[in-house]
């Protein structure tokens, strides 16, 4: 099969489009012919400097396609089913083998391309806002990097729950487009100090729940933007500033909390998230939530797709088509 692989981590140009062996399939796994790959933030971070499970390494959390074979222990899926899958790696390829608990049937009315963009962003956004952020109607949510996959999902979910929704982005045009998805107030973090702006928009109070996918100095600013008893959930390091010492001295006197989140751990340890994601697939198929796809690239051009994401031009998901 063809796959986008790399032999060492680094810039997007480490990606190569090559022939590699087809994946083996265990008894509890399904083999999927990949039709759409949603490039996640973790994919680009892994390519930059993450662990490689093998060499050459096939990166990628999330993709969707059609089942072409099933293991003896598989009970839910059958050949010909349309599915979306999540795994630690292996999405950037023509075929992928995935354990049954990390797969979802694609509902009628939902395209394979849209389904490929759902589990990680929507599952992450939902858990950050509600399971760990405990967001309630009438509260204020701040979504960092609002034009990202997690950001677009979080804005819709927070608005649907009755919250006031603030979000940051690097361009005014992105913030304008987010208004139709439920954004109440946008903050251009390039031209405005977002901490001061959050305080201004909330009359000095701050945000009750903050979803931070950026990390670094942005995460420090998120902590400073919290309201009394505010909850900040950190879910990524898209800002790529590296680890830095955080000042959390304001948390205790204000009864605030900072929580780290990784959806993979929830999927491995609890069936709750699987059902949660299935519900989001149904909601998107029914038009109650939206997926936004920015651009499509051939799998052979994976390096260009990764570079485009890192240029911060994208609004929504960037997908690869094998």
């Amino acid at each position: 099969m063809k796959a986008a692989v790399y032999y060492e981590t680094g810039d997007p140009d480490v990606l190569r489009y090559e022939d590699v062996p087809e994946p083996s399939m265990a008894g509890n796994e399904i083999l999927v012919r990949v039709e759409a790959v949603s490039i996640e933030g973790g994919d680009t971070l892994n390519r930059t400097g993450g662990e490689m499970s093998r060499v050459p390494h096939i990166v990628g959390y999330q993709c969707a396609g059609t089942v072409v074979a099933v293991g003896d222990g598989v009970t839910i899926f059958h050949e010909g089913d349309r599915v979306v899958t999540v795994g630690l790696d292996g999405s950037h390829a023509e075929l992928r083998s995935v354990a049954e608990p990390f797969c979802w049937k694609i509902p009628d009315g939902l395209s394979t391309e849209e389904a490929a963009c759902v589990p990680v962003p929507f599952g992450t956004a939902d858990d950050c806002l509600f399971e760990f952020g405990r967001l309630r109607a009438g509260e204020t949510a701040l979504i960092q990097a609002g034009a990202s996959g997690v950001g677009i999902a979080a804005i819709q979910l927070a608005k649907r729950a009755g919250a006031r929704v603030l979000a940051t982005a690097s361009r005014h045009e992105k913030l304008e487009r987010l208004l139709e998805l439920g954004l109440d107030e946008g903050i251009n973090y390039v031209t405005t100090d977002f901490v001061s702006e959050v305080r201004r928009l909330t009359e000095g109070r701050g945000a009750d729940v903050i979803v931070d996918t950026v990390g670094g100095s942005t995460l420090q600013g998120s902590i400073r933007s919290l309201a009394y008893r505010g909850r900040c959930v950190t879910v990524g390091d898209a800002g790529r500033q590296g680890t830095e010492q955080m000042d959390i001295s304001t948390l205790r006197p204000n009864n605030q909390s900072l929580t780290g989140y990784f959806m993979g751990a929830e999927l491995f340890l609890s069936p709750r998230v699987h059902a949660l994601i299935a519900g989001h697939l149904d909601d998107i198929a029914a038009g109650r939530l939206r997926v936004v796809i920015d651009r499509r690239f051939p799998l052979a051009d994976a390096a260009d797709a990764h570079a485009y994401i890192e240029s911060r031009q994208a609004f929504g998901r960037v997908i690869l088509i094998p």
Side-chain angles (χ1 to χ4, degrees):
M1 69 173 183
K2 291 289 189 180
V5 306
Y6 46 86
Y7 293 80
E8 60 183 0
T9 58
D11 292 335
D13 60 10
V14 300
L15 283 159
R16 302 283 184 267
Y17 185 60
E18 295 183 353
D19 288 307
V20 297
E22 294 185 2
S24 59
M25 188 179 66
N28 70 331
E29 292 182 333
I30 65 173
L31 185 65
V32 178
R33 183 164 298 283
V34 178
E35 296 164 12
V37 180
S38 174
I39 305 174
E40 301 302 314
D43 299 346
T44 59
L45 287 170
N46 184 278
R47 190 219 67 239
T48 300
E51 294 184 8
M52 296 189 293
S53 59
R54 64 190 66 85
V55 176
H57 183 68
I58 303 174
V59 75
Y61 287 143
Q62 186 167 266
C63 63
T66 301
V67 177
V68 294
V70 299
D72 294 339
V74 172
T75 60
I76 298 175
F77 299 98
H78 303 88
E79 290 184 29
D81 286 343
R82 292 191 308 136
V83 296
V84 56
T85 71
V86 170
L88 294 177
D89 53 33
S91 77
H92 287 37
E94 292 180 325
L95 293 169
R96 187 191 208 183
S97 183
V98 190
E100 188 174 37
F102 303 99
C103 306
W104 295 261
K105 287 186 179 180
I106 300 175
D108 293 339
L110 182 61
S111 73
T112 302
E113 289 187 1
E114 289 176 310
C117 304
V118 174
V120 172
F122 281 84
T124 296
D126 198 309
D127 259 4
C128 287
L129 288 169
F130 305 111
E131 181 72 10
F132 294 91
R134 307 185 306 282
L135 180 68
R136 297 185 295 271
E139 292 189 320
T140 297
L142 170 63
I143 314 301
Q144 298 286 14
S148 67
V150 172
I152 286 173
I155 288 169
Q156 295 177 77
L157 293 171
K159 187 65 174 181
R160 186 169 71 169
R164 183 189 184 195
V165 186
L166 315 180
T168 63
S170 60
R171 299 180 185 181
H172 180 71
E173 308 84 68
K174 289 184 177 181
L175 295 170
E176 285 291 316
R177 292 182 64 185
L178 290 172
L179 293 174
E180 65 185 58
L181 296 170
L183 179 67
D184 291 303
E185 301 282 354
I187 302 170
N188 185 326
Y189 66 80
V190 175
T191 61
T192 305
D193 175 66
F194 78 82
V195 178
S196 299
E197 188 67 0
V198 169
R199 293 291 176 190
R200 185 186 72 81
L201 291 170
T202 58
E203 298 181 342
R205 184 174 179 277
D208 299 290
V209 176
I210 300 177
V211 178
D212 191 312
T213 61
V214 182
S217 61
T218 298
L219 179 57
Q220 185 69 72
S222 290
I223 292 172
R224 292 168 51 212
S225 302
L226 284 171
Y228 176 72
R229 298 189 71 177
R231 292 85 70 193
C232 178
V233 184
T234 171
V235 70
D237 296 295
R240 303 182 182 221
Q241 294 179 327
T243 302
E244 63 176 54
Q245 187 172 358
M246 304 297 299
D247 177 8
I248 59 171
S249 61
T250 56
L251 294 178
R252 188 171 62 245
N254 291 296
N255 289 333
Q256 298 161 338
S257 64
L258 173 65
T259 303
Y261 179 77
F262 172 51
M263 195 188 80
E266 292 295 303
L267 277 173
F268 273 107
L269 299 172
S270 169
R272 177 189 60 83
V273 179
H274 194 281
L276 181 78
I277 291 169
H280 289 315
L281 289 164
D282 288 339
D283 280 348
I284 295 167
R288 292 185 288 267
L289 295 169
R290 286 177 53 190
V291 164
V292 178
I293 297 175
D294 180 279
R295 285 187 64 178
R296 298 162 177 82
F297 289 81
L299 180 61
D301 296 339
D304 292 337
H306 277 232
Y308 176 69
I309 291 171
E310 292 177 355
S311 72
R312 300 189 180 181
Q313 298 178 67
F315 182 89
R317 296 286 80 185
V318 175
I319 63 174
L320 299 171
I321 307 298

